[in-house]
């Protein structure tokens, strides 16, 4: 790991940038690499289908429930179960991506997405729909993990933030298309409309699979297979300069050699050694990287995004929007806002950096969720004004979420070392989907327990905790080579150690300290976040006393019946 050691030393706060980044700072801004742009676009288009299948249930469940006679509990399980099913494919996606290649795994993902969409359109019972969701989950799990890895590996450093954001951008596009599909086919006969919604997702995977075959394999996967000439050919086309391509190839080769040396020291344990290095005996820098990966994915979903994506019609109905057409139209607006602000995040990622966007987005998400809770609390008799206020709060949350948490996949894919990248990205995405399943499968029950406003206050507290986590634990990665991430996190650990050593002499001799110590702001933040749980305790007590205002109408409201 000589390269990492060299990067970790020196007077600068950051490791040397690659040629393109250095040229950019010197005034010679490189042109956009359109070949890398095309490759990332083709890879990311698979996630359109993932977003489409995940969010289509938002409106389709209105018709499935009535057509097949499903209960509220069955609808809740059907909506969120795909996230549980995805755990297996997400955790195995790293193994498949290393075995079949990034490109081959994406082709396989499209096959499962096509089969799942066809099975959903033909389903006639709760059990067959659950089986179809399971098939869809395999393709969705493969696509979300491998796309993030491929985009990070194919991108030059000058564009990596922008191209890696394509994952969330195209998922958002799929989400928007699902809302449009809900709205467009709502007028068809009851037993036909929702089937057409899913049947519309059968043909696109076939076309996308053919498109994926036209793009090159990841240069890092080619180097792992000893195909260095092929890797260089891809790097030359996806780098800003030939000199940068040679630098990137040299760094990749060093990383591959280090990974091979590590594997040989583990007696050839293969994938098992990777999981051991990740979870059983991680180094200090790997442990810190893993905390960041798991943390950003957990907070992305625990902030309540799926409660909005899947149940926004119920939120709008609670606020006083009675027309089914108006409800579905408002969900289309949610999809448009999410798509637009993910694009904003993609354009700003390489200019402002990942960390500022994460901080701003999580703070905005906390404020908008709290505002939504206050809005629903103030609803006496549902009215047009309360409905409009709730729509504004939801749109503000979606905008904040898209600007900030859209960086989660980008950040987690780029900070992992090459040897651990595929499996580590899978682990982070598994946490993401498990948290998503927890939110989506408990929203109705949680709203019954602490009321709907209480749910949004809870999500606001989680988003505030996410802001504190990013501020304390997440370093900036803009402009760095993927192979320099170990050096970055090692340097962060070294800074912490130096800070502790500098503070240590001041701790024992308390009487000798000339001035009173300053307030420990981090301790104040921790105590404040812990104490915020008691807000919900007090709120729940108040809500029980005022149940006539909320609970009576909530408990008698048939789930998702707006017609």
């Amino acid at each position: 790991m000589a390269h990492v050691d060299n990067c970790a030393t020196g007077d600068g706060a950051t490791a040397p940038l690659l040629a393109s980044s250095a040229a950019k700072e010197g005034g010679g801004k490189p042109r956009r690499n359109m070949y890398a742009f095309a490759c990332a676009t083709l890879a990311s288009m698979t996630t359109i289908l993932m977003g489409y299948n995940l969010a289509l249930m938002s409106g389709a469940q209105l018709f499935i429930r009535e057509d097949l006679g499903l209960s509220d509990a069955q609808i809740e399980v059907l909506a969120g179960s795909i996230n549980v099913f995805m755990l297996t494919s997400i955790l195995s996606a790293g193994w498949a991506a290393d075995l079949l290649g990034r490109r081959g795994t994406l082709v396989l993902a499209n096959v499962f997405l096509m089969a799942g969409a066809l099975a959903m359109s033909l389903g006639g019972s709760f059990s067959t729909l659950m089986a179809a969701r399971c098939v869809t989950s395999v393709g969705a799990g493969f696509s979300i993990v491998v796309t993030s890895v491929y985009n990070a590996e194919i991108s030059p450093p000058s564009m990596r933030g922008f191209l890696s954001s394509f994952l969330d951008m195209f998922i958002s596009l799929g989400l928007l298309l699902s809302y449009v599909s809900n709205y467009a086919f709502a007028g068809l006969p009851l037993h036909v409309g929702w089937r057409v919604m899913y049947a519309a997702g059968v043909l696109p995977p076939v076309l996308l699979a053919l498109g994926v075959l036209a793009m090159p394999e990841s240069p890092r996967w080619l180097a792992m297979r000893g195909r260095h000439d092929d890797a260089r050919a891809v790097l030359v086309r996806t780098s800003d300069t030939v000199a940068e391509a040679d630098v990137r190839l040299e760094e990749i080769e060093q990383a591959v050699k280090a990974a091979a040396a590590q594997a040989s020291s583990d007696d050839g344990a293969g994938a098992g050694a990777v999981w051991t290095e990740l979870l059983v005996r991680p180094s200090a820098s790997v442990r810190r990287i893993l905390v960041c990966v798991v943390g950003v994915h957990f907070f992305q979903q625990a902030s309540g995004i799926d409660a909005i994506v899947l149940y926004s019609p119920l939120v709008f109905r609670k606020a006083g929007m009675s027309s089914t057409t108006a409800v579905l139209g408002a969900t289309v607006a949610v999809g448009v806002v999410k798509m637009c602000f993910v694009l904003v995040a993609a354009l700003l990622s390489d200019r402002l950096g990942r960390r500022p966007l994460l901080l701003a987005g999580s703070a905005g998400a906390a404020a908008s969720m709290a505002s939504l809770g206050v809005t629903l609390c103030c609803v006496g008799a549902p009215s047009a004004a309360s409905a409009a206020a709730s729509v504004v709060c939801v749109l503000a949350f979606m905008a904040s979420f898209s600007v900030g948490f859209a960086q989660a996949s980008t950040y987690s894919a780029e900070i992992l070392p090459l040897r651990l990248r595929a499996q580590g990205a899978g682990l982070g995405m598994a946490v993401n989907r498990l948290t998503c399943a927890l939110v989506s499968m408990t929203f109705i029950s949680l709203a019954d327990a602490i009321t709907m406003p209480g749910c949004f206050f809870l999500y606001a507290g989680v988003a505030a905790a996410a802001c504190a986590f990013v501020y304390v634990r997440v370093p900036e990665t803009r402009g760095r080579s993927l192979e320099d991430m170990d050096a970055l996190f090692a340097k962060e650990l070294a800074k912490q150690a130096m800070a502790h050593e500098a503070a240590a002499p001041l701790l024992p001799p308390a009487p000798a300290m000339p001035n009173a110590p300053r307030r420990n702001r981090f301790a104040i933040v921790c105590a404040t976040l812990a104490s915020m749980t008691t807000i919900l305790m007090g709120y729940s007590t108040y809500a029980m006393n005022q149940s006539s205002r909320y609970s009576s109408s909530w408990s008698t409201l048939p789930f998702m019946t707006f017609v």
Side-chain angles (χ1 to χ4, degrees):
M1 298 296 287
H3 172 71
V4 171
D5 293 339
N6 291 337
C7 291
T9 60
D11 299 329
T14 59
L17 302 179
L18 288 179
S20 62
S21 298
K24 184 175 179 179
E25 290 187 351
K29 183 177 179 179
R31 293 184 301 171
R32 293 290 186 184
N33 189 304
M34 298 309 297
Y35 186 71
F37 178 90
C39 293
T41 300
L42 281 173
S44 302
M45 287 182 71
T46 301
T47 59
I48 295 177
L49 302 172
M50 176 202 161
Y52 183 85
N53 282 281
L54 285 177
L56 192 63
M57 186 59 65
S58 173
Q61 61 185 310
L62 302 176
F63 312 104
I64 293 175
R65 183 180 188 276
E66 187 176 350
D67 185 27
L68 302 183
L70 303 185
S71 66
D72 291 350
Q74 287 175 318
I75 288 293
E76 193 176 36
V77 171
L78 192 61
S81 60
I82 189 170
N83 296 294
V84 178
F85 294 148
M86 282 172 65
L87 291 177
T88 301
S89 58
I90 284 173
L91 291 175
S92 61
W95 169 81
D98 285 344
L99 179 66
L100 304 176
R102 286 44 166 157
R103 187 175 61 177
T105 309
L106 285 174
V107 171
L108 189 61
N110 279 287
V111 171
F112 278 100
L113 287 170
M114 178 198 66
L118 182 62
M120 281 295 295
S121 65
L122 299 176
S125 65
F126 176 73
S127 58
T128 56
L129 292 180
M130 287 290 287
R133 296 288 270 179
C134 185
V135 173
T136 303
S137 73
V138 178
F142 280 174
S143 67
I144 196 171
V145 174
V146 179
T147 298
S148 65
V149 172
Y150 182 86
N151 286 358
E153 293 181 343
I154 204 73
S155 307
S158 62
M159 296 178 63
R160 192 172 62 241
F162 175 64
L163 297 185
S164 296
S165 296
F166 280 16
L167 173 67
D168 294 282
M169 190 186 306
F170 281 85
I171 290 176
S172 298
L173 178 58
L175 181 147
L176 174 59
L177 291 176
S178 72
Y179 288 155
V180 172
S181 178
N182 289 156
Y183 186 84
F185 298 122
L188 294 177
L190 179 66
H191 64 287
V192 174
W194 67 270
R195 298 180 187 278
V196 174
M197 295 175 192
Y198 282 101
V202 173
L203 181 60
V206 179
L207 303 178
L208 287 178
L210 296 176
V212 168
L213 290 174
M215 70 188 196
E217 186 52 83
S218 158
R220 286 172 174 81
W221 185 83
L222 293 172
M224 289 170 63
R225 289 293 181 269
R227 297 164 58 182
H228 299 286
D229 291 339
D230 293 336
R232 186 181 185 280
V234 175
L235 285 170
V236 167
R237 300 193 68 181
T238 59
S239 299
D240 296 321
T241 64
V242 176
E244 179 185 297
D246 291 334
V247 172
R248 290 174 68 188
L249 180 61
E250 181 182 355
E251 291 180 333
I252 292 171
E253 289 174 344
Q254 290 178 355
V256 169
K257 290 177 182 178
Q262 180 67 35
S264 63
S265 67
D266 292 328
D267 298 326
V274 173
W275 288 112
T276 299
E277 188 177 351
L278 272 174
L279 301 176
V280 181
R281 292 191 299 272
S283 64
S285 61
V286 168
R287 187 183 302 112
R288 184 177 174 88
I289 289 171
L290 196 60
V291 167
C292 289
V293 169
V294 171
V296 295
H297 277 294
F298 169 78
F299 284 118
Q300 183 190 51
Q301 295 299 328
S303 60
I305 178 62
D306 260 47
I308 299 298
V309 168
L310 291 176
Y311 300 111
S312 55
L314 187 58
V315 176
F316 297 146
R317 179 68 176 87
K318 175 69 175 176
M321 194 177 292
S322 57
S323 168
T324 302
T325 302
V327 166
L328 294 179
T331 60
V332 173
V334 171
V336 170
V337 168
K338 189 175 192 304
M339 180 67 197
C340 291
F341 279 88
V342 167
L343 178 59
V344 170
L347 295 174
L348 295 178
S349 181
D350 287 318
R351 297 181 182 180
L352 301 180
R354 289 47 150 170
R355 178 182 160 89
L357 294 180
L358 281 167
L359 286 170
S362 55
S368 54
M369 273 295 190
S371 299
L372 181 58
V374 170
T375 299
L376 294 177
C377 276
C378 296
V379 174
S383 64
S386 62
S390 68
V391 171
V392 170
C393 292
V394 169
L395 294 182
F397 169 78
M398 195 59 76
S400 300
F401 178 91
S402 301
V403 166
F405 287 112
Q407 304 300 309
S409 299
T410 300
Y411 191 85
S412 61
E414 67 184 0
I415 64 176
L416 286 159
L418 175 62
R419 172 172 166 77
L420 309 177
R421 185 167 298 138
Q423 286 83 353
L427 179 62
M429 200 56 66
V431 172
N432 182 294
R433 291 296 97 191
L434 188 60
T435 309
C436 182
L438 181 65
V439 171
S440 60
M441 296 177 71
T442 60
F443 179 74
I444 299 174
S445 303
L446 188 62
D448 285 335
I450 64 174
T451 75
M452 189 183 290
C455 290
F456 295 122
F457 287 133
L458 177 62
Y459 299 145
V462 172
C467 188
F469 172 81
V470 171
Y471 182 79
V472 173
R473 303 290 298 185
V474 175
E476 182 55 69
T477 58
R478 179 170 62 101
R480 282 186 170 269
S481 158
L482 292 181
E483 282 66 42
D484 281 339
M485 295 303 172
D486 268 342
L488 171 64
F489 281 86
K491 189 165 295 184
E492 290 292 323
L493 288 171
K495 287 181 181 178
Q496 286 188 348
M498 291 176 64
H500 286 306
E501 290 176 3
L506 300 178
L507 297 179
M513 296 178 66
N515 298 316
R518 293 185 302 170
R519 298 285 186 183
N520 189 311
R521 295 181 179 178
F522 181 63
I524 291 174
V525 171
C526 293
T528 301
L529 290 175
S531 302
M532 285 179 69
T533 306
T534 60
I535 296 176
L536 297 177
M537 180 188 74
Y539 177 81
S540 298
T541 303
Y542 172 79
M544 291 296 294
N545 293 333
Q546 302 294 326
S547 59
S548 60
R549 293 183 63 190
Y550 307 112
S551 301
S552 59
S553 60
W554 170 260
S555 60
T556 58
L557 177 67
F559 176 68
M560 286 298 202
T561 306
F562 305 134
V563 181

